[in-house]
């Protein structure tokens, strides 16, 4: 639910059940949560600010059913270094990864709409540019976006 673990002394990871369908707004805000269960195939929604200023070091949502990243999802996550979003994501909210100074790699769908100031010192608005993705070896204003092109079966 909303604010379920907000401000708690939680300092490690939580193993969620595979049947988990949603994480409420502010659920882990200001907590010490470091990691999530990597496989959550039924997870379809995550509330705004769910991981705001938490201790997350990486966010892997590849094996989820999420279609949008809410505003301020991981804002202020000082230890966050990488984000992996599934091909089902069509939008990334405003300030979703703002004030994440360690964020280096973001794997996201090529066609995702990106909200205003979604990333600190990175791509900030509109549709992801067309063409080949930037090289992961090239420094891209502190964040390198690796665009995932959805392949039709």
């Amino acid at each position: 639910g909303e604010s379920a673990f907000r401000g708690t002394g939680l300092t490690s990871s939580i193993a969620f059940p595979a049947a988990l369908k949603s994480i409420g707004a502010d659920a882990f805000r200001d907590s010490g949560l470091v990691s999530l269960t990597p496989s959550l195939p039924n997870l379809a929604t995550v509330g705004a600010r769910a991981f705001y200023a938490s201790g997350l070091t990486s966010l892997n949502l590849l094996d989820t059913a999420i279609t949008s990243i809410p505003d301020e999802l991981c804002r202020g996550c000082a230890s966050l270094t990488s984000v992996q979003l599934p091909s089902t994501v069509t939008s990334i909210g405003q300030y979703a990864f703002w004030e994440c100074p360690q964020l280096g790699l973001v794997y996201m769908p090529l066609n995702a709409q990106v909200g205003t100031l979604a990333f600190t010192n990175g791509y900030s608005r509109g549709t992801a540019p067309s063409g080949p993705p930037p090289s992961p070896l090239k420094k891209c204003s502190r964040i390198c976006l690796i665009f995932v092109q959805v392949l039709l079966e």
Side-chain angles (χ1 to χ4, degrees), residues 1 12 96 105:
S12 65
L105 288 176

Side-chain angles (χ1 to χ4, degrees), residues 35-60:
S35 66
L36 300 174
T37 305
S39 180
L40 296 168
N42 295 306
L43 183 63
T45 60
V46 178
R49 302 170 308 281
F51 307 114
Y52 188 112
S54 71
L56 279 180
T57 56
S58 66
L59 182 64
N60 181 345

Side-chain angles (χ1 to χ4, degrees), residues 4-5 42 53-54 77 95 101-102 110 130:
F5 296 93
N42 295 306
S54 71
C77 290
Y95 302 99
Q102 300 303 311
L110 179 64
S130 60

